Each structure stands twice: as C-alpha cells, then as structure tokens.
C-alpha cells in the first residue's frame, strides 16, 4: 500500500491507524491479495461507513485474490464503482445481503467455503461468478441485477436461489454444477436464460411463476437429477431442453410459452405435467424417451405437437389441442390414449405393441370449473392423415376424420377398429360431363388414395382430390387389398352396411387393375353395370324393369300365337273299348299390323309369362318358337336380376 512497503494486513499498528483515519466514505479501495481476518475487515468497513447512512460506502473496490478468514460481512455495503473479487478466497460465508453495487460485481474463479448471500442486493453492472466455487448455497433472492449474470462453469455445492430476483440481462449458467437445485420462482428475467450442459445433481430446476422475456430459456444437454418445475411460468419466446437428461418430473402446468418448447433427444424419468399449458408454436419431443410418464396435458399448442421417434415405456394418456400431432416412428411400449382436438395426426411407421386409441373430443378440456383456452385454433375436427407402416392390430380410432388418411402400407389393417362417428371422403357429387357424355358417380365413401388415382387420370381432376406433394399415386392393384382389409374390419365388427362401400371400392379397384385377365375384367364390368357389384338395388331393379318390359313387348309382337289353338278329339266305339284321338293344330305366328298385336288381351297374357319367369316358373302359355326362346332367356336372366336387387337390399340392412 502506497506509501508503505507492506499490505494492509501487515502494516504496523500505528501505520494502519493512520491509514484508516485518512479513509472517507466513498473512497477507492485496492486490497488485492490481502488477507483479512474478521477484525481487520470490520475495521476497514468501519472507516468507510457514513454515519448518516449507517452503511459502508466505497468507490472502486479491488479485492482480487484477497483472503477472508471466516465469514466476510459486506451486508448493506454500497460501492459506487466496480466490486472486483476475482480469485478471492472466503474461508466462510460471503455476506452481501442488501448490498448496492453501481458497477459490475466480479467474482470469477472465487472460492467461497460457506454460502454466498446476495439477498436483496442491487447490482447495476453485470454479475460474474464464472468458474467460482461455492461450498454452500448461492442466494440471490429478491436481488436486482441490472446487467447480465454469468455463472458459467461455476460449482455450487448447495442450492442456487434466485426466487423473486429481477435480472435485466442474460442469465448464463452454461456448464454450471449445482448439487441441490436451482430456484428461480417468481423471478423476472429480461434476457436469455442458458443452462446448457449444466449439472444439477439432486435438486430441482424451479422457475414456477417466473417471467422470462427475450429469447427464452435453454437447457441443452443439461443433467437434472430432480424435477423441472415451470408451473405458471411466462416465457415470451421458447424453452429448449434438447438433449437434456431429467430424472424427475417435467411440469409446465399453467405455463405460457410464446414460441415453442423443445425436448428433442431428451430423457425424462418421471411424469410429464402440462395441464393448461399454452404454447405459441410447436412443442416437440423428437427421439425423447419417457420412462414413467403417465400423462401429458391437457395442453394447447398452436403449432405441432411432435412425438416423432419418441419412446413411451409406460402407459400414458396424452391430451392436447394442437394444429398437428406428429407420431412418425413413435414407439409405444405400453397402452396409450391420445385425446385430441383440432389436430391432424400422422402415425406413419409408428410402432404399436399395445392398444393405442386416438379419440376426438367434441368439447374443450376442463380445468376445474373452467374450460382450457384454445387460442389460434379454428377447426376442432381431428384428422388422421396417415397410417402407413403402422401395425393396426391394436389401433382404435374413435370419432376421427379419415377423409385425407393414407391407409396403403399399414399392416393388419383388417384388425383396425373404427368407433364413434368417423368420416371418410366421398365421391364428387352431382352430374359431370366427360367427352360430351354425362357422368354421375354413385354415392359412396372412398379412401384418399382412390381420390389421388382418379385425379391423376384427368387433366382437371374432375372433382377428385389430387395427391399432395411427395405422396405417391398408387395403382388400383395396390388399393384393392386396402379396401378388402377395411371391409373385413367392419364386417368383423358386425357393421355390414358400413362395409358395403369398402366392398364396392374393392371391386372397382379389381375392375381397373391391370393384372387381371380380360375375361375377368369383362365379367366384373357386367357385374358393375347390372347391379353395382350387388350393392346397388336401384340399378338391378332398373335393369329388371327393362328386361321385363322388353320381354312383354317381344311376347306381344312375336311370342304369342295369332290365336290360341283349338283342340279337336275324335273317337270310335269298338265293343267296350273307346279310342279317342286329339289333334292340336300348329301354332300360327302372329301377322298383321304391329298395332293390332298390342292389344290388352295379348298384354295380359304376356305379363303373366313375364311374371312367372321372374319367379322362375313356367306360365303354361302356348308360345311361338320366338316366344319359347324368349321365355327361356327371361327365366334365366330376370330371376338373377331380382336376386341381385334383393342382395343389395340385404347388404344395407344386414345386422
């Protein structure tokens, strides 16, 4: 110390007294490398204490590499410049409760063998504890940090307390090691929060009720031995936990996150509570492992809830209102239920080893006595858009919209269970023109892949929906098994009328497939034209009416003889024996004008012939050769048409 040749601790008693007497409140102090006993520190602080303020007041405070025996009492200290304690060593606690520092607080590489108490402290510059070691708790409760807070690489043997603190800059805890948890409840943070690669060995990370402005909170690759508690937190932008390892629960109950929250490639050992949480964009859990999660939500997500390649090792219920739910390659190691609103659900290549239910909820999720808010979401329908690659043996779809669903490629589709009020796409309605001829599609439900195929055959799609980008258009030969499996699924569920449309679709795809012989295609075409594959009663009965009308007309014009034959019997009596001979004259073909043949008597006879032919009976009416062959043809064709019509009716009312 100028002008002395020794430091403050080694000054002679008289010299120290002169030095202390000369100090005034607000004086700059430079005691770098000095060793302080409690008595020595007390005398120094007393020398700069303002009687009117009853607190020590310093200008610049330079204590780099200083040594403090026992507890260092700096409570209510006011420093108008910087407080520099870089590489200082505290033998006990560092007590700065209520301190005011106008500049920066530098505690980088400091060693504190007790707790570091900065409760209600106010630091206008930045605060740095980088690479510091604190053997006790780090306590900044209700502190006001006007600049950034740097705690990177610090080692804290106790707890880190920032509850109620106000931090107006970034809060960086990258690579920090905290043994017993970090608590930021009700804190106000106006910068970014970074805990990347942090190690919280046993305690929780608690931001309950906190508000994080700016870019949000990041815990990339962090290790958290306790719970992550973000209940009622408000984060203006996002929360990132990519690669984090969390042994306890993750709670975002009642949280509001302006942007998204990301847990990609994370491991979560406990339950996941997101009850009433609101996310402005996406909530992603790609490749996340859920060890014991039993429930996720109910939550609201304006963007996508992404569970792609996630692994659920226990039974779970997921409740969400989201624009989309992506479950590509998700692995369900136990039973699961997805209760959703608004979402389009993609289950491509999901691994379903136990029952999985996807259910659409008609009403908002209840949170106690109120409904959960669902901002930014419009259409409450739940659409399943893809089942490709899914083993559907354990899959149940309840009340969902399947109008855009891709079924081709699913395994065990015949064991899929469709429950509730589900919806499939239909054929284009109304009358349309194709090559100057009218076309009207028979009303039925179809799968999206048929829409894509038919749209690809015409330049203007003709009312059919084209395939989205990056979706292959499948040929009929690949779609026939899809319809067959869906038909069997409904038939096994005793829903025969619902299976009728799938049977019609299967036959349509077989008729258009390019891998069947021409003869079989011709037979299917006739089956389609006459009765809609036995599914269209109106078509079969229409053709039956045409056939009966044609038969009646042929009978009246050429089938009935000109007049009924009159038989004549003659006989002779020889002894007691009578011999009788009956002669029938040849039937005469009708002649004369056609108008005379269309009489009421001939119509009545012709109608009897036709009606008996429909029920496969002989009328017994004498007929010409033309009439005989016409009756034979009608007795073959018309009962078939009647049977096809009755079969179609039976298919629609069968239980």
């Amino acid at each position: 110390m100028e002008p002395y040749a020794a430091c403050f601790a080694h000054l002679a008693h008289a010299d120290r007294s002169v030095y202390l007497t000369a100090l005034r409140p607000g004086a700059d102090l430079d005691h770098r490398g000095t060793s302080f006993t409690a008595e020595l520190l007390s005398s120094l602080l007393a020398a700069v204490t303002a009687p009117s303020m009853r607190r020590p007041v310093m200008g610049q405070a330079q204590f780099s590499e200083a040594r403090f025996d026992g507890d260092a009492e700096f409570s209510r200290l006011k420093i108008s410049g910087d407080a520099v304690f870089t590489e200082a060593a505290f033998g006990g606690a560092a007590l700065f409760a209520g301190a005011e520092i106008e500049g920066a607080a530098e505690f980088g590489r400091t060693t504190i063998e007790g707790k570091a108490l900065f409760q209600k402290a106010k630091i206008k510059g930045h605060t740095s504890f980088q690479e510091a070691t604190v053997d006790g708790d780090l306590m900044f409760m209700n502190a006001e940090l006007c600049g950034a807070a740097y705690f990177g690489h610090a080692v804290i043997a106790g707890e880190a307390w920032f509850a109620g603190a106000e931090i107006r800059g970034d809060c960086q805890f990258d690579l920090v090691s905290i043994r017993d948890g970090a608590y930021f409840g009700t804190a106000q943070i106006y910068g970014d929060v970074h805990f990347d690669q942090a190690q919280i060995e046993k305690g929780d990370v608690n931001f309950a009720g906190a508000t994080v402005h700016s870019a949000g909170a990041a815990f990339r690759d962090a290790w958290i031995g306790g719970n992550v508690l973000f209940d009622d937190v408000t984060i203006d932008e996002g929360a990132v936990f990519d690669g984090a390892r969390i042994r306890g629960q993750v709670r975002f109950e009642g949280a509001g996150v302006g942007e998204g929250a990301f847990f990609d490639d994370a491991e979560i050992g406990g339950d996941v509570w997101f009850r009433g949480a609101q996310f402005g964009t996406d909530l992603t859990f790609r490749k996340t492992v859920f060890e014991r999660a039993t429930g996720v939500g109910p939550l609201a997500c304006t963007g996508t809830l992404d569970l792609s390649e996630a692994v659920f090792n226990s039974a779970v219920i997921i409740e969400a209102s989201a624009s989309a739910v992506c479950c590509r390659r998700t692995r369900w190691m136990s039973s699961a239920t997805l209760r959703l609103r608004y979402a389009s659900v993609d289950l491509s290549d999901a691994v379903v080893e136990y029952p999985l239910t996807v259910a659409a909820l008609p009403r908002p999720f209840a949170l106690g006595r109120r409904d959960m808010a669902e901002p930014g979401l419009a259409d409450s329908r739940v659409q399943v858009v893809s089942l490709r690659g899914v083993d559907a043996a354990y899959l149940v779809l309840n009340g969902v919209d399947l109008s855009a669903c891709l079924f081709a490629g699913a395994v065990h589709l015949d064991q899929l269970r469709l429950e509730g009020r589900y919806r499939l796409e239909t054929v284009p309605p109304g009358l349309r023109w194709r090559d100057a001829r009218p076309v009207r599609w028979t009303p039925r439900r179809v799968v999206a892949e048929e829409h894509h195929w038919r749209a690809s055959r015409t330049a203007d799609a003709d009312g059919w929906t084209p395939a989205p980008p990056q979706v292959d258009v499948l040929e009929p030969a690949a779609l026939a098994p899809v319809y067959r499996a869906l038909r069997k699924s409904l038939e096994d569920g005793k829903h025969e009328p619902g299976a009728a449309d799938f049977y019609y679709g299967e036959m349509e795809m077989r008729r258009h497939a390019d891998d069947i012989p021409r003869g079989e295609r011709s037979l299917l075409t006739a089956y389609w034209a006459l009765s809609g594959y036995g599914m269209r009663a109106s078509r079969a009965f229409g053709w039956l009416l045409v056939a009966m009308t044609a038969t009646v007309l042929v009978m009246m014009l050429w089938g009935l003889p000109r007049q009924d034959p009159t038989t004549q019997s003659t006989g002779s009596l020889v002894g007691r024996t009578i011999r009788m001979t009956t002669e029938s004259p040849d039937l005469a073909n009708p002649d004369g004008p056609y108008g005379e043949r269309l009489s009421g008597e001939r119509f009545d006879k012709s109608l009897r012939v036709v009606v008996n032919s429909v029920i496969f009976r002989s009328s017994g009416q004498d007929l010409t050769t033309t009439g005989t062959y016409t009756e034979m043809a009608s007795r073959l064709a018309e009962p078939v048409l009647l049977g096809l019509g009755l079969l179609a009716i039976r298919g629609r009312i069968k239980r």
Side-chain angles (χ1 to χ4, degrees), residues 186-243:
T186 70
Q188 297 286 325
I189 304 173
Y190 292 86
D192 301 340
V193 177
H194 289 280
F195 275 77
D196 295 344
Q197 300 184 52
Q199 299 282 330
I200 292 87
E201 297 180 12
K202 296 188 299 182
D204 302 334
V205 173
N206 189 337
F207 277 73
T211 300
V212 180
H213 305 278
S214 189
F219 290 78
R220 298 179 184 87
D221 299 312
W223 170 276
I224 302 173
N227 304 313
V228 173
L229 307 176
F230 276 65
D231 296 345
D232 299 310
V233 72
T234 300
I235 302 177
D236 286 353
E237 295 192 17
V240 182
F241 288 81
D242 293 348

Side-chain angles (χ1 to χ4, degrees), residues 421-432:
R421 186 175 180 178
Y422 58 90
R423 177 180 177 271
L424 285 159
E425 189 59 276
T426 58
V427 299
L431 186 66
R432 300 176 182 273

Side-chain angles (χ1 to χ4, degrees), residues 353-414:
E353 300 182 4
Y354 292 86
L356 171 63
T357 301
V358 180
L361 267 63
R363 295 180 56 85
F365 295 101
L367 301 176
R369 296 183 179 180
R370 64 180 178 87
D371 292 338
M372 184 180 73
E374 299 170 329
L377 299 171
D379 188 356
S380 62
R381 291 183 306 164
V382 174
Q383 285 189 312
V384 176
V385 297
S386 178
L387 295 178
R388 289 188 169 182
V390 176
D391 187 341
Y394 296 102
L395 183 59
V396 180
L397 304 179
N398 190 334
V400 300
D401 187 338
L402 298 171
S403 59
C405 184
L406 304 177
F407 290 96
V411 181
H412 295 142
L413 196 57
D414 58 321

Side-chain angles (χ1 to χ4, degrees), residues 616-640:
F616 209 71
R617 291 178 57 186
S618 175
S619 63
Q621 173 69 45
D622 292 318
L623 301 173
T624 65
T625 302
T626 300
T628 300
Y629 282 106
T630 300
E631 183 188 35
M632 293 171 59
S634 66
R635 289 181 64 187
L636 176 64
E638 290 168 6
V640 172

Side-chain angles (χ1 to χ4, degrees), residues 71-245:
D71 296 341
E73 181 63 72
F74 288 92
S75 297
R76 301 187 69 248
L77 170 68
K78 181 175 182 179
I79 301 176
S80 59
D82 297 332
V84 182
F85 288 80
T86 305
E87 297 187 17
F90 292 82
L95 306 175
F96 286 80
E100 292 185 21
I101 302 174
E102 299 289 336
E106 295 283 358
F107 287 80
R109 297 186 297 278
T110 298
T111 301
I112 303 174
E113 297 184 8
K115 63 184 178 181
L117 179 60
F118 286 77
Q119 184 176 4
K120 295 184 179 181
K122 182 176 182 180
I123 304 173
K124 291 188 176 181
H126 68 262
T127 302
S128 176
F129 272 75
Q130 295 194 95
E131 300 183 47
T133 301
V134 181
D135 290 342
D137 297 335
L138 178 67
M139 308 177 75
F140 279 79
M141 295 88 71
N142 299 308
E144 182 179 349
L145 308 182
C146 299
Y150 303 105
F151 292 83
H153 297 269
V155 177
I156 303 171
E159 300 172 337
W161 280 92
F162 288 79
E166 181 175 337
I167 305 174
R168 294 193 169 273
D170 293 343
C171 187
Q172 297 189 4
F173 283 78
D174 296 344
L175 293 165
V176 71
S177 176
I178 304 174
R179 190 184 66 182
D180 294 330
Y183 301 90
F184 286 75
T186 70
Q188 297 286 325
I189 304 173
Y190 292 86
D192 301 340
V193 177
H194 289 280
F195 275 77
D196 295 344
Q197 300 184 52
Q199 299 282 330
I200 292 87
E201 297 180 12
K202 296 188 299 182
D204 302 334
V205 173
N206 189 337
F207 277 73
T211 300
V212 180
H213 305 278
S214 189
F219 290 78
R220 298 179 184 87
D221 299 312
W223 170 276
I224 302 173
N227 304 313
V228 173
L229 307 176
F230 276 65
D231 296 345
D232 299 310
V233 72
T234 300
I235 302 177
D236 286 353
E237 295 192 17
V240 182
F241 288 81
D242 293 348
R245 302 296 181 262

Side-chain angles (χ1 to χ4, degrees), residues 553-572:
L553 188 61
V554 170
M555 288 294 180
M556 292 177 66
L557 295 177
W558 304 287
L560 296 177
R562 184 171 53 201
Q563 62 183 16
D564 291 337
T566 300
T567 60
Q568 183 178 1
S569 300
T570 59
S572 61

